[in-house]
Amino acid sequence: FMIHPPPHSTKIAAGNHAPGKKINKIKTLVTTHLPADSRNIKGHYQNYLGPSWKRLVEENRRNTGRETVLPDFFIACVDDGCDQIDKELCTPLPMAKNEAGTIDKQMLRNFLVNDRHDTNRMLCYYAHVPERKNQDYIFIHSLNFLEMEPLTSILDVGYYDYILRTDADALLFPGLLNLAPSGSGWIGAGEYGEEGLTDHLVRHFSET
């Protein structure tokens, strides 16, 4: 979904353009939720979303200069769900508090913008986000985290143009590097393929 009010995209250098020429890349934050392993979903992230993100990073490193989107990846995890994350690809989100006891926005801006010395680098970061108590639907935290810290502070920084929320058993395709929704956003319906298709896509697009 588009983030309102939409921030001004930072100018990012593109490889195959004239020397010194800049283009505006769309900034999309891909985000997902990893619950505790006791929910019987262990392996979803390791087999699907995680490897496909790694493949997307590799595609981005082959930058042709025509890509229009620079995605980052935020993972909200719970308890031992955080253990599924590949720490070589993803780093803990810095969440130091200011004097008011809230997350320091300047620290987040430095992390997302000022310290990104390679302007085409895709960031992957994660944070432990505790579940709210006494929820009627067992999987509601996969949506609740979207309106909780630290994501609310991340979006307040004003760096991202779009946010893409996805399940842990989904795949990210290289086309994401050139994908922006028309209008304010899209909602997927699921059940996109017939039996056996997912295994084929995992093998083909998520090779490491």
Side-chain angles (χ1 to χ4, degrees):
F1 290 93
M2 182 181 290
I3 299 168
H4 295 286
H8 299 290
S9 296
T10 305
K11 289 186 175 180
I12 300 292
N16 286 350
H17 289 265
K21 186 175 182 179
K22 304 278 187 176
I23 64 168
N24 286 329
K25 281 197 173 183
I26 295 167
K27 313 303 186 306
T28 295
L29 179 62
V30 180
T31 185
T32 195
H33 162 251
L34 295 182
D37 283 351
S38 59
R39 297 275 174 83
N40 296 320
I41 67 161
K42 184 175 183 179
H44 284 188
Y45 172 80
Q46 295 101 321
N47 294 331
Y48 300 100
L49 194 57
S52 68
W53 171 258
K54 183 176 181 179
R55 174 67 181 273
L56 195 65
V57 170
E58 293 169 352
E59 289 287 333
N60 185 62
R61 287 173 180 163
R62 302 187 189 102
N63 191 339
T64 66
R66 295 186 297 271
E67 292 81 3
T68 59
V69 176
L70 183 68
D72 286 344
F73 189 19
F74 170 62
I75 305 169
C77 53
V78 179
D79 301 333
D80 53 357
C82 300
D83 297 336
Q84 302 179 45
I85 299 170
D86 185 346
K87 304 306 190 297
E88 293 184 1
L89 289 177
C90 299
T91 60
L93 177 70
M95 294 197 299
K97 300 290 183 69
N98 54 30
E99 292 182 356
T102 59
I103 295 177
D104 189 332
K105 302 288 178 55
Q106 184 58 48
M107 174 201 61
L108 289 179
R109 171 165 287 278
N110 289 338
F111 176 74
L112 296 174
V113 184
N114 299 334
D115 295 339
R116 195 189 301 241
H117 303 299
D118 178 357
T119 52
N120 277 314
R121 179 188 173 203
M122 293 162 52
L123 299 180
C124 177
Y125 50 93
Y126 66 93
H128 180 266
V129 182
E131 295 184 358
R132 291 172 175 166
K133 304 297 184 182
N134 303 318
Q135 299 289 294
D136 293 333
Y137 177 52
I138 189 173
F139 295 116
I140 193 61
H141 193 58
S142 66
L143 297 175
N144 279 343
F145 83 93
L146 295 170
E147 59 175 7
M148 297 172 63
E149 291 286 13
L151 187 57
T152 52
S153 288
I154 292 171
L155 299 184
D156 282 346
V157 170
Y159 175 72
Y160 295 108
D161 301 301
Y162 290 91
I163 180 170
L164 170 64
R165 182 265 177 204
T166 183
D167 289 333
D169 58 351
L171 295 170
L172 299 173
F173 286 75
L176 181 61
L177 299 176
N178 290 286
L179 176 67
S182 57
S184 59
W186 293 337
I187 297 177
E191 299 295 335
Y192 296 117
E194 59 189 25
E195 185 177 356
L197 177 62
T198 297
D199 290 340
H200 166 74
L201 293 176
V202 169
R203 289 193 301 270
H204 187 71
F205 289 102
S206 300
E207 290 180 347
T208 58

